[in-house]
Amino acid sequence: MTARHPALLAADPQLATLVAAEEGLQSETLRLIPSENYVSAAVLEATGTVLQNKYSEGYPGRRYYEGQQIIDQVETLAVERARAVFGADHVNVQPYSGSPANLAVYLAFAQPGDTVMGMALPMGGHLTHGWGVSATGSWFRGVQYGVRADTGLIDYDEVRDLALKERPKLIFCGGTALPRTIDFAAFSQIAREAGSVLVADIAHIAGLVAGGAHPSPVPHVDVVTTTTHKTLRGPRGAMLMCRQEHAKAVDKAVFPGLQGGPHNHTTAGIAVALHEAAQPSFRSYAHAVVANAKALAEALLERDFDLVSGGTDNHLLLVDLTAQGLPGKVAAKALDRAGLVVNYNTVPFDPRRPFDPSGIRIGTPSLTSRGLTPGHMPQVAEWIDRAVRAARTADEQALGIVRAEVRAQMAAHPAPGLPLS
Ligand code: DSN
């Protein structure tokens, strides 16, 4: 701690102690939340630079503040790298995070009251895809599709029927709990027939797309939205990518429509992450994330866990714990005590409430960043199984034993960006 953050320690020991404690937690636990990751030390450094100090409302070459000689270059670098990694015509790297990025799409292409369509949140979608409690579901008229009860897969015929009936202004594809490949070409065909603007929210899979481990939406959709901090392994931020014809509308929606000055230190971190994503090692990383998820799915299925859709094609698994007789929230909290960090999650057609659902969501981006391989996944599944059984019998001692084993194993796999324990 002293060596890593000496100024912080001197100025604010209380906060410095909390940062050190978080470093310890991230180091000694097995982080299985599919939307989380570890950024590299380089990304971490870039986000902690004096770029923080600068206001830059506007875009490179067209700012409302002077002194942009360097910032313009930083933003242009991030944009050009994103264009190269994703093959996009136009990129905006200024959205503060995923929800503002999605809101900018509404601002660019729809009017309040318009019909918009997305996957229902409890089926695996996202709040900002028109779900009722979000502004996107109250300022717009959200219609929602789901997955089939028998397969857990998107029914593209049902999506088409709904789109042709409702003729939504926007159709969102993508989500937060979809363990299977998204057929962007099928969505594109539907959007064309319905006369809708098609938006792919690839926040979860952006790193897999960048690394060639999931098909790219870029050739098929009007707009791509993504966060930069999940599988892409960048800082907390977001990007919008679109065809040239939409560039003006998208940029205008982000600034001045929705936001003020961009977070230049974040833009720098995004640029570094995109440089890393362009390396051959990132391709290997993306494929390893998927290989680990498939191996973990197999190992959990062998232990009679019920996986929505029967497995995974990407980085995440959605586990329905109904058969285990354990609510998702109780399981997630017990797993946390065992050093296995997951989140409780609804499963499709969940009879329970979103704040107390039937499932947990598990992902492999973080453990892959620490160098775990498919050979480690039977052990991970065994820990999950033991922790779930211990939770059923309230066996705190058994949870403590798993935690110690996890901690010992993690010590052998240092995490990017964290001090060696
Ligand atoms: N919070 C993100 C996730 O965990 O999937 C989605 O916004």
Side-chain angles (χ1 to χ4, degrees), residues 33-36 98-99 125-127 175-177 203-204 227 229-230 236 343 345 361:
I33 293 174
S35 48
E36 292 184 350
S99 297
H126 189 254
L127 277 167
T176 59
H204 264 257
T227 51
H229 47 269
K230 298 186 174 91
R236 299 195 83 95
N343 68 275
N345 216 94
R361 199 178 59 151

Side-chain angles (χ1 to χ4, degrees), residues 147-361:
V147 293
R148 285 178 61 116
D150 54 344
T151 60
L153 302 175
I154 294 172
D155 180 339
Y156 290 92
D157 291 332
E158 186 205 306
V159 174
R160 180 173 179 272
D161 289 347
L162 188 61
L164 293 184
K165 177 168 162 257
E166 300 288 353
R167 304 272 169 188
K169 203 48 138 336
L170 297 173
I171 298 178
F172 277 85
C173 54
T176 59
L178 302 176
R180 295 296 182 176
T181 301
I182 301 164
D183 187 343
F184 296 119
F187 270 108
S188 171
Q189 173 69 27
I190 292 166
R192 263 204 305 276
E193 282 184 64
S196 312
V197 171
L198 180 60
V199 189
D201 180 342
I202 62 164
H204 264 257
I205 56 170
L208 306 186
V209 171
H214 188 290
S216 171
V218 170
H220 303 289
V221 311
D222 296 288
V223 187
V224 176
T225 76
T226 185
T227 51
T228 46
H229 47 269
K230 298 186 174 91
T231 46
L232 192 57
R233 235 165 40 178
R236 299 195 83 95
M239 303 191 293
L240 288 168
M241 302 180 247
C242 63
R243 300 193 178 128
Q244 198 53 45
E245 66 192 278
H246 301 312
K248 243 188 173 158
V250 162
D251 284 354
K252 212 172 131 202
V254 175
F255 175 84
L258 203 60
Q259 297 188 170
H263 294 175
N264 297 312
H265 54 302
T266 301
T267 305
I270 292 172
V272 175
L274 288 164
H275 178 64
E276 292 173 351
Q279 308 309 313
S281 57
F282 194 86
R283 256 193 116 67
S284 309
Y285 167 72
H287 284 90
V289 167
V290 176
N292 278 336
K294 284 180 184 292
L296 184 55
E298 217 170 279
L300 287 171
L301 287 169
E302 273 172 22
R303 291 176 176 277
D304 291 331
F305 280 92
D306 179 7
L307 304 185
V308 171
S309 84
T312 182
D313 297 328
N314 55 29
H315 63 302
L316 78 81
L317 290 77
L318 192 54
V319 188
D320 185 343
L321 291 170
T322 306
Q324 271 77 14
L326 197 66
K329 194 171 184 172
V330 177
K333 288 188 178 301
L335 286 160
D336 193 39
R337 295 199 294 283
L340 303 161
V341 188
V342 304
N343 68 275
Y344 55 89
N345 216 94
T346 52
V347 296
F349 307 99
D350 204 324
R352 302 178 66 91
R353 293 169 301 124
F355 200 56
D356 183 19
S358 299
I360 54 173
R361 199 178 59 151

Side-chain angles (χ1 to χ4, degrees), residues 5 76 81 85 165 173 238 241 299 317 343 386 409-411:
H5 310 291
T76 302
R81 287 178 177 173
V85 165
K165 177 168 162 257
C173 54
M241 302 180 247
L317 290 77
N343 68 275
R386 272 165 60 199
Q409 174 81 344
M410 289 303 100

